[in-house]
Amino acid sequence: MKTGKYSKLMFVVSLFFSLFLLAACNSDSEETSNSNKTTDEQETFTLRYNVSFQPPLWDWDPKYKSTEEFAKLVEERTGGRVKIELFYANQLAGQVESLDALSRGTFDIQNITPSAWASKIPEGSFAALPYGWMGEEHAAHLLRETDVGKLYEEALDEYGVKLISYWYSGATGYLSKSPIAAPEDFKGLIFNTTDATQQEYYQSMGAGIAGVPFAEYYEGLLRGTIDTVLFPYNSLETYKLAEVVESVTVPGSVMPSFGLVAFSKSSWEKLPSDIQEIITETALELEQAGIEGSKELTKLGIEYAESQGLEIVHLKREDYDEFLKLGQEKVWDKFASRNERTKKMTEVLYAENKKWIEENPKAQEYFDEYLAD
């Protein structure tokens, strides 16, 4: 009997001990799982960011906001989980080659103008359509509130690239070795463009065509490979182009020009959703913040040109209208014929341009500021 009671007692003790071990094992298993989750959440990412332009000079410059400030804020707001390495002046890939490199995930982020990729994504030619918008607010409206921006974003997505933000870079106008006040002044000049949509426009005015990368503009103008470029006014200082041109035409044919920040889709999809959200919110915040800086760039570019003794050519209204009409016939309509998306983008542009002039007082303010009296 004692033996039987002892056996039962040992069985109960053994049972409790087994249950205790089982509970302990389960607890250890849960702790390990939580530890792994914590490790995953703290995973860090180093992203390589290729920039087609020279480094910015000022901390208020929209280019600075889309590069240096963007990298800094993303690192801060992710608690150091994301570090962005910046490579300026096409260090990782040339401006045309960068599209395929980005889509393959060779690097993670690209900063460029849409027209530089237009040979492969024709919708990007929109960025250089002559006299398509009048000021930063008008451009932002087209890109963010109409089908123009939506359709371009679709085209990028199909190529394996995700649009993150735009940044406005001040007025882009003719920087030339001889004054340009009317279409006939292009006769005999070599004009630089990498966009096939633009070539007929300038050839119809008598210009020859060359295709020199942005980073080589100074050398091209110095050696006479090219006579005229369509480039932001502030490049007279940042690229030192005031040393190799003689005149600036106002208003520019793209007011303002704009660049974009884009991710490789394969790189983007590897990021946790909370990091994606931080990057998106930061980029859009800086896009909006850069609008005033873009206006300042236009102002400083013109003032710098004057200080360097360059001739400032203000278009007369009739010459402006002639440039616009010719641009619509030779560039806008040709752009529209590229595919269904470009057709829709052009229809929206015609309608919005007309509406802006008729209904928005900023259009008249724009003409009063830039055209000749």
Side-chain angles (χ1 to χ4, degrees):
M1 294 292 293
K2 288 182 178 180
T3 300
K5 289 181 179 180
Y6 179 79
S7 297
K8 290 179 179 179
L9 178 61
M10 290 302 295
F11 173 79
V12 172
V13 171
S14 176
L15 178 61
F16 274 104
F17 186 72
S18 297
L19 292 172
F20 175 81
L21 288 177
L22 181 60
C25 288
N26 286 338
S27 176
D28 288 344
S29 177
E30 289 175 2
E31 288 178 7
T32 301
S33 177
N34 290 335
S35 176
N36 288 337
K37 183 177 181 181
T38 300
T39 300
D40 290 343
E41 288 177 349
Q42 296 305 313
E43 184 180 0
T44 61
F45 301 86
T46 299
L47 306 177
R48 299 201 303 162
Y49 187 171
N50 190 49
V51 183
S52 289
F53 311 97
Q54 300 289 344
L57 293 180
W58 310 284
D59 61 7
W60 52 263
D61 184 341
K63 179 167 61 175
Y64 177 90
K65 292 184 179 297
S66 70
T67 53
E68 302 285 346
E69 189 169 349
F70 174 70
K72 177 185 175 186
L73 288 179
V74 168
E75 181 171 354
E76 289 177 356
R77 292 174 179 182
T78 61
R81 293 161 62 195
V82 175
K83 297 183 184 299
I84 298 176
E85 298 176 344
L86 293 159
F87 298 86
Y88 289 99
N90 298 317
Q91 291 180 61
L92 299 182
Q95 63 189 39
V96 176
E97 297 80 7
S98 63
L99 176 59
D100 287 327
L102 184 68
S103 66
R104 290 194 302 266
T106 304
F107 49 86
D108 308 291
I109 315 173
Q110 174 70 39
N111 191 314
I112 199 166
T113 178
S115 58
W117 286 346
S119 61
K120 297 182 178 181
I121 301 180
E123 291 83 354
S125 292
F126 167 79
L129 294 183
Y131 308 100
W133 44 92
M134 292 158 276
E136 282 75 7
E137 288 83 3
H138 192 192
H141 170 70
L142 291 169
L143 291 170
R144 289 304 189 183
E145 300 177 29
T146 76
D147 282 344
V148 167
K150 294 174 185 176
L151 291 164
Y152 181 55
E153 191 168 347
E154 283 180 10
L156 289 171
D157 187 75
E158 287 181 4
Y159 211 97
V161 172
K162 178 177 178 56
L163 175 74
I164 298 298
S165 64
Y166 295 103
W167 60 279
Y168 306 100
S169 55
T172 288
Y174 300 127
L175 314 181
S176 182
K177 298 176 78 72
S178 61
I180 296 175
E184 57 265 27
D185 293 330
F186 271 100
K187 187 174 183 179
L189 299 181
I190 304 299
F191 179 77
N192 191 81
T193 179
T194 58
D195 186 348
T197 308
Q198 299 277 340
Q199 291 181 6
E200 184 181 346
Y201 178 47
Y202 292 102
Q203 288 171 332
S204 72
M205 293 186 280
I209 301 297
V212 176
F214 302 146
E216 298 174 20
Y217 275 6
Y218 184 97
E219 190 72 12
L221 287 161
L222 178 66
R223 295 186 178 279
T225 306
I226 50 180
D227 300 308
T228 305
V229 297
L230 181 65
F231 215 44
Y233 294 149
N234 65 84
S235 65
L236 291 164
E237 182 172 5
T238 58
Y239 280 67
K240 302 185 184 303
L241 296 187
E243 298 175 4
V244 290
V245 300
E246 301 295 331
S247 70
V248 177
T249 301
V250 177
S253 69
V254 185
M255 294 278 280
S257 57
F258 57 88
L260 62 86
V261 179
F263 257 80
S264 164
K265 280 183 66 177
S266 61
S267 298
W268 180 258
E269 290 165 359
K270 293 175 185 176
L271 298 174
S273 59
D274 64 319
I275 287 180
Q276 291 178 346
E277 184 175 345
I278 290 170
I279 289 173
T280 300
E281 290 179 352
T282 301
L284 292 177
E285 173 188 321
L286 293 174
E287 176 183 317
Q288 186 64 29
I291 286 179
E292 289 305 314
S294 177
K295 295 177 181 179
E296 186 67 16
L297 283 173
T298 298
K299 178 182 176 183
L300 287 183
I302 296 172
E303 290 177 350
Y304 184 78
E306 292 173 335
S307 74
Q308 298 302 301
L310 303 187
E311 181 179 359
I312 309 300
V313 179
H314 288 267
L315 295 178
K316 297 178 180 178
R317 181 60 190 263
E318 57 265 31
D319 294 319
Y320 175 91
D321 289 341
E322 187 178 353
F323 270 121
L324 172 59
K325 183 176 183 296
L326 191 60
Q328 290 174 333
E329 293 173 355
K330 300 295 185 181
V331 187
W332 293 27
D333 293 345
K334 186 173 181 180
F335 172 73
S337 69
R338 301 290 292 276
N339 59 46
E340 284 301 314
R341 268 196 294 255
T342 60
K343 179 181 178 182
K344 177 62 176 176
M345 292 169 77
T346 307
E347 290 172 354
V348 173
L349 181 60
Y350 267 110
E352 290 290 341
N353 189 281
K354 184 174 183 291
K355 183 178 178 181
W356 191 266
I357 291 174
E358 291 178 350
E359 299 180 9
N360 199 303
K362 286 187 176 294
Q364 189 57 49
E365 292 174 11
Y366 174 86
F367 292 136
D368 290 342
E369 181 174 3
Y370 293 114
L371 295 180
D373 295 334

